[in-house]
Amino acid sequence: MRILVLSNTPFAPPTAGNRRRIHDMLAWLRARGAAVAMLMLPAEDRGEWDVAAMRTGLDAFEIAEEIAPPRPSRPERLLRRLAPTLPHRPDGWCPPAFRDRAARFAAAWRPDVVLVEYVFLSACIPALRALASPPRVVIDTHDLMHRRVAAYGEAGLRAQWFHTTRGAERRGLARADLVLAIQEDDARVLRTLVRPDAVLTVPHAQPVAPAPLAAATSQCLVAASYNDINVVGLEWLLREVWPRLRAALPAAELVVCGNVIAKIGVRPAGVAFRGVVPSLDDAYAASRVVLVPVPSGTGLKVKLVEALCHGRPVVTTPAGAAGVDAGEGTGVAVAADAEAFVAATRRLLEDEVAWRAAAGAAAAHARRRFAPDAAFAPLWDALEGRVRRDD
């Protein structure tokens, strides 16, 4: 099977959840025997891309260098300052030159499947349909774009990056043969936008490799990118949760990894800010509990999945637990307020029996739901089935 990926989100370095999802999905597809190529639309964060790593990790890789990153016109920028919730148009986000470039790439590379990362590149699809040998087309949603204004609003923020209306998202998604939801709550919404049988839930997945329990200390871990929803969540944790926890357990330590630290000004006692690290494996191994304090959002919290795959229990908010099993026997404790967050974290730090049981449950949960073969095999089967129908 030959798969062409259209994206303006890089998968290297995998410093954010969406990047990690793309990285691990494509690695699994290649390991299964697919040839995978990628055409990238430049983005404003181009300076942070690891182009060499992406080139090495694929069978073919190109950046549409001659095409400028998506950027609203000056009048549109002014209008958005006056009306920050003004929705984007998916077709306006995807430059016509990139649509042409994608069609030329597909005509030359002859993929069986084109995987479009996010609905805002769906404008490429009509030109792909017009090819002499049109590929099957899949949109990987990652998120519900028509709900982003509400999700950011719940965190007291203005929506950033791309957001659109329900109708515009529906029209973009309807162009695809298959739409991927990252978790089942999103899938239920997507099935109201397109044909229900065109929606497939494909969660994030990565190898399940529980770290030895003996490697853990009394440490808590937060790993997050600088998405502003993550920033608000971490600030809440440092303001409302950490002082109470530290008062009860003076030896407790919190390690914060990821570029989220660039937006955090307060540095409380007992908190170590490490930033972007070469590998999170050591940080997960050293932690007894991973904290995911996100206040809102759709999609699946990839850092939560990573923690489970490392065999570490999680304390999170109701929004952080979206799309995963929670409660006793899952390794995921849900806390609706600061007091509950402190209590759940303190239990895992103080109660050795409870912590070991939760760590074992986290690993079992990961094997059941988020191991690559469990999560990605239905996607492979769906792609094979569609390709076979075309032969």
Side-chain angles (χ1 to χ4, degrees), residues 232-247:
V232 169
L234 180 54
E235 288 176 337
W236 170 81
L237 182 85
L238 296 178
R239 183 180 64 251
E240 303 293 338
V241 174
W242 188 249
R244 302 183 192 186
L245 188 63
R246 181 82 168 173

PDB file of all heavy atoms in Angstrom, residues 232-247:
ATOM      1  N   VAL A 232      -2.822  27.380  30.925  1.00  0.00           N
ATOM      2  CA  VAL A 232      -3.831  27.693  31.939  1.00  0.00           C
ATOM      3  C   VAL A 232      -3.950  26.554  32.942  1.00  0.00           C
ATOM      4  O   VAL A 232      -4.040  26.781  34.163  1.00  0.00           O
ATOM      5  CB  VAL A 232      -5.190  27.978  31.270  1.00  0.00           C
ATOM      6  CG1 VAL A 232      -6.312  28.035  32.297  1.00  0.00           C
ATOM      7  CG2 VAL A 232      -5.136  29.295  30.503  1.00  0.00           C
ATOM      8  N   GLY A 233      -3.933  25.326  32.459  1.00  0.00           N
ATOM      9  CA  GLY A 233      -4.033  24.180  33.362  1.00  0.00           C
ATOM     10  C   GLY A 233      -2.855  24.085  34.310  1.00  0.00           C
ATOM     11  O   GLY A 233      -3.023  23.811  35.516  1.00  0.00           O
ATOM     12  N   LEU A 234      -1.649  24.292  33.786  1.00  0.00           N
ATOM     13  CA  LEU A 234      -0.467  24.217  34.643  1.00  0.00           C
ATOM     14  C   LEU A 234      -0.447  25.362  35.649  1.00  0.00           C
ATOM     15  O   LEU A 234      -0.086  25.173  36.819  1.00  0.00           O
ATOM     16  CB  LEU A 234       0.797  24.219  33.790  1.00  0.00           C
ATOM     17  CG  LEU A 234       2.125  24.150  34.554  1.00  0.00           C
ATOM     18  CD1 LEU A 234       2.172  22.955  35.497  1.00  0.00           C
ATOM     19  CD2 LEU A 234       3.301  24.103  33.573  1.00  0.00           C
ATOM     20  N   GLU A 235      -0.830  26.553  35.212  1.00  0.00           N
ATOM     21  CA  GLU A 235      -0.885  27.674  36.155  1.00  0.00           C
ATOM     22  C   GLU A 235      -1.873  27.388  37.281  1.00  0.00           C
ATOM     23  O   GLU A 235      -1.605  27.707  38.454  1.00  0.00           O
ATOM     24  CB  GLU A 235      -1.280  28.954  35.415  1.00  0.00           C
ATOM     25  CG  GLU A 235      -0.176  29.491  34.516  1.00  0.00           C
ATOM     26  CD  GLU A 235      -0.607  30.703  33.719  1.00  0.00           C
ATOM     27  OE1 GLU A 235      -1.831  30.875  33.509  1.00  0.00           O
ATOM     28  OE2 GLU A 235       0.275  31.475  33.294  1.00  0.00           O
ATOM     29  N   TRP A 236      -3.016  26.794  36.947  1.00  0.00           N
ATOM     30  CA  TRP A 236      -3.984  26.405  37.985  1.00  0.00           C
ATOM     31  C   TRP A 236      -3.366  25.389  38.941  1.00  0.00           C
ATOM     32  O   TRP A 236      -3.513  25.502  40.173  1.00  0.00           O
ATOM     33  CB  TRP A 236      -5.234  25.830  37.322  1.00  0.00           C
ATOM     34  CG  TRP A 236      -6.189  25.192  38.288  1.00  0.00           C
ATOM     35  CD1 TRP A 236      -7.116  25.822  39.070  1.00  0.00           C
ATOM     36  CD2 TRP A 236      -6.303  23.788  38.583  1.00  0.00           C
ATOM     37  NE1 TRP A 236      -7.798  24.911  39.829  1.00  0.00           N
ATOM     38  CE2 TRP A 236      -7.323  23.647  39.551  1.00  0.00           C
ATOM     39  CE3 TRP A 236      -5.653  22.649  38.128  1.00  0.00           C
ATOM     40  CZ2 TRP A 236      -7.699  22.413  40.077  1.00  0.00           C
ATOM     41  CZ3 TRP A 236      -6.021  21.406  38.629  1.00  0.00           C
ATOM     42  CH2 TRP A 236      -7.035  21.285  39.593  1.00  0.00           C
ATOM     43  N   LEU A 237      -2.670  24.412  38.415  1.00  0.00           N
ATOM     44  CA  LEU A 237      -2.035  23.401  39.249  1.00  0.00           C
ATOM     45  C   LEU A 237      -1.030  24.039  40.209  1.00  0.00           C
ATOM     46  O   LEU A 237      -1.010  23.728  41.413  1.00  0.00           O
ATOM     47  CB  LEU A 237      -1.337  22.361  38.370  1.00  0.00           C
ATOM     48  CG  LEU A 237      -0.668  21.210  39.121  1.00  0.00           C
ATOM     49  CD1 LEU A 237      -1.674  20.119  39.425  1.00  0.00           C
ATOM     50  CD2 LEU A 237       0.486  20.637  38.299  1.00  0.00           C
ATOM     51  N   LEU A 238      -0.199  24.936  39.689  1.00  0.00           N
ATOM     52  CA  LEU A 238       0.834  25.568  40.515  1.00  0.00           C
ATOM     53  C   LEU A 238       0.225  26.514  41.549  1.00  0.00           C
ATOM     54  O   LEU A 238       0.791  26.693  42.632  1.00  0.00           O
ATOM     55  CB  LEU A 238       1.813  26.330  39.622  1.00  0.00           C
ATOM     56  CG  LEU A 238       2.618  25.483  38.640  1.00  0.00           C
ATOM     57  CD1 LEU A 238       3.506  26.375  37.773  1.00  0.00           C
ATOM     58  CD2 LEU A 238       3.463  24.434  39.365  1.00  0.00           C
ATOM     59  N   ARG A 239      -0.923  27.088  41.223  1.00  0.00           N
ATOM     60  CA  ARG A 239      -1.556  28.054  42.133  1.00  0.00           C
ATOM     61  C   ARG A 239      -2.472  27.390  43.155  1.00  0.00           C
ATOM     62  O   ARG A 239      -2.444  27.729  44.352  1.00  0.00           O
ATOM     63  CB  ARG A 239      -2.346  29.061  41.302  1.00  0.00           C
ATOM     64  CG  ARG A 239      -2.992  30.166  42.111  1.00  0.00           C
ATOM     65  CD  ARG A 239      -3.770  31.125  41.200  1.00  0.00           C
ATOM     66  NE  ARG A 239      -4.896  30.485  40.537  1.00  0.00           N
ATOM     67  CZ  ARG A 239      -4.933  30.202  39.225  1.00  0.00           C
ATOM     68  NH1 ARG A 239      -3.915  30.499  38.438  1.00  0.00           N
ATOM     69  NH2 ARG A 239      -6.006  29.621  38.701  1.00  0.00           N
ATOM     70  N   GLU A 240      -3.275  26.427  42.710  1.00  0.00           N
ATOM     71  CA  GLU A 240      -4.331  25.884  43.563  1.00  0.00           C
ATOM     72  C   GLU A 240      -4.016  24.513  44.163  1.00  0.00           C
ATOM     73  O   GLU A 240      -4.514  24.190  45.241  1.00  0.00           O
ATOM     74  CB  GLU A 240      -5.642  25.776  42.763  1.00  0.00           C
ATOM     75  CG  GLU A 240      -6.121  27.080  42.156  1.00  0.00           C
ATOM     76  CD  GLU A 240      -6.547  28.083  43.208  1.00  0.00           C
ATOM     77  OE1 GLU A 240      -6.876  27.669  44.338  1.00  0.00           O
ATOM     78  OE2 GLU A 240      -6.539  29.294  42.904  1.00  0.00           O
ATOM     79  N   VAL A 241      -3.227  23.727  43.478  1.00  0.00           N
ATOM     80  CA  VAL A 241      -2.995  22.344  43.910  1.00  0.00           C
ATOM     81  C   VAL A 241      -1.641  22.185  44.577  1.00  0.00           C
ATOM     82  O   VAL A 241      -1.542  21.635  45.693  1.00  0.00           O
ATOM     83  CB  VAL A 241      -3.115  21.377  42.700  1.00  0.00           C
ATOM     84  CG1 VAL A 241      -2.740  19.955  43.109  1.00  0.00           C
ATOM     85  CG2 VAL A 241      -4.517  21.419  42.127  1.00  0.00           C
ATOM     86  N   TRP A 242      -0.590  22.662  43.914  1.00  0.00           N
ATOM     87  CA  TRP A 242       0.750  22.362  44.402  1.00  0.00           C
ATOM     88  C   TRP A 242       1.035  22.900  45.808  1.00  0.00           C
ATOM     89  O   TRP A 242       1.604  22.171  46.635  1.00  0.00           O
ATOM     90  CB  TRP A 242       1.810  22.852  43.417  1.00  0.00           C
ATOM     91  CG  TRP A 242       3.184  22.394  43.807  1.00  0.00           C
ATOM     92  CD1 TRP A 242       4.221  23.152  44.255  1.00  0.00           C
ATOM     93  CD2 TRP A 242       3.650  21.048  43.824  1.00  0.00           C
ATOM     94  NE1 TRP A 242       5.309  22.370  44.543  1.00  0.00           N
ATOM     95  CE2 TRP A 242       4.980  21.071  44.293  1.00  0.00           C
ATOM     96  CE3 TRP A 242       3.065  19.823  43.500  1.00  0.00           C
ATOM     97  CZ2 TRP A 242       5.737  19.920  44.426  1.00  0.00           C
ATOM     98  CZ3 TRP A 242       3.817  18.670  43.629  1.00  0.00           C
ATOM     99  CH2 TRP A 242       5.140  18.726  44.092  1.00  0.00           C
ATOM    100  N   PRO A 243       0.653  24.130  46.167  1.00  0.00           N
ATOM    101  CA  PRO A 243       0.922  24.590  47.536  1.00  0.00           C
ATOM    102  C   PRO A 243       0.273  23.702  48.590  1.00  0.00           C
ATOM    103  O   PRO A 243       0.863  23.441  49.645  1.00  0.00           O
ATOM    104  CB  PRO A 243       0.344  26.000  47.552  1.00  0.00           C
ATOM    105  CG  PRO A 243       0.386  26.441  46.120  1.00  0.00           C
ATOM    106  CD  PRO A 243       0.089  25.200  45.335  1.00  0.00           C
ATOM    107  N   ARG A 244      -0.938  23.233  48.353  1.00  0.00           N
ATOM    108  CA  ARG A 244      -1.616  22.356  49.315  1.00  0.00           C
ATOM    109  C   ARG A 244      -0.912  21.005  49.407  1.00  0.00           C
ATOM    110  O   ARG A 244      -0.745  20.450  50.502  1.00  0.00           O
ATOM    111  CB  ARG A 244      -3.072  22.140  48.895  1.00  0.00           C
ATOM    112  CG  ARG A 244      -3.894  23.412  48.770  1.00  0.00           C
ATOM    113  CD  ARG A 244      -5.338  23.065  48.417  1.00  0.00           C
ATOM    114  NE  ARG A 244      -6.086  24.240  48.011  1.00  0.00           N
ATOM    115  CZ  ARG A 244      -7.383  24.253  47.754  1.00  0.00           C
ATOM    116  NH1 ARG A 244      -8.080  23.128  47.875  1.00  0.00           N
ATOM    117  NH2 ARG A 244      -7.993  25.355  47.381  1.00  0.00           N
ATOM    118  N   LEU A 245      -0.522  20.483  48.260  1.00  0.00           N
ATOM    119  CA  LEU A 245       0.151  19.188  48.268  1.00  0.00           C
ATOM    120  C   LEU A 245       1.509  19.290  48.948  1.00  0.00           C
ATOM    121  O   LEU A 245       1.902  18.428  49.733  1.00  0.00           O
ATOM    122  CB  LEU A 245       0.305  18.685  46.825  1.00  0.00           C
ATOM    123  CG  LEU A 245       0.817  17.263  46.660  1.00  0.00           C
ATOM    124  CD1 LEU A 245      -0.143  16.254  47.272  1.00  0.00           C
ATOM    125  CD2 LEU A 245       1.023  16.942  45.188  1.00  0.00           C
ATOM    126  N   ARG A 246       2.221  20.352  48.660  1.00  0.00           N
ATOM    127  CA  ARG A 246       3.548  20.558  49.237  1.00  0.00           C
ATOM    128  C   ARG A 246       3.464  20.768  50.749  1.00  0.00           C
ATOM    129  O   ARG A 246       4.332  20.332  51.501  1.00  0.00           O
ATOM    130  CB  ARG A 246       4.192  21.757  48.564  1.00  0.00           C
ATOM    131  CG  ARG A 246       5.585  22.090  49.018  1.00  0.00           C
ATOM    132  CD  ARG A 246       6.618  21.240  48.350  1.00  0.00           C
ATOM    133  NE  ARG A 246       7.939  21.787  48.618  1.00  0.00           N
ATOM    134  CZ  ARG A 246       9.075  21.203  48.288  1.00  0.00           C
ATOM    135  NH1 ARG A 246       9.055  20.044  47.661  1.00  0.00           N
ATOM    136  NH2 ARG A 246      10.231  21.758  48.570  1.00  0.00           N
ATOM    137  N   ALA A 247       2.397  21.420  51.206  1.00  0.00           N
ATOM    138  CA  ALA A 247       2.223  21.605  52.652  1.00  0.00           C
ATOM    139  C   ALA A 247       1.996  20.274  53.353  1.00  0.00           C
ATOM    140  O   ALA A 247       2.479  20.054  54.469  1.00  0.00           O
ATOM    141  CB  ALA A 247       1.053  22.556  52.913  1.00  0.00           C
TER     142      ALA A 247
END
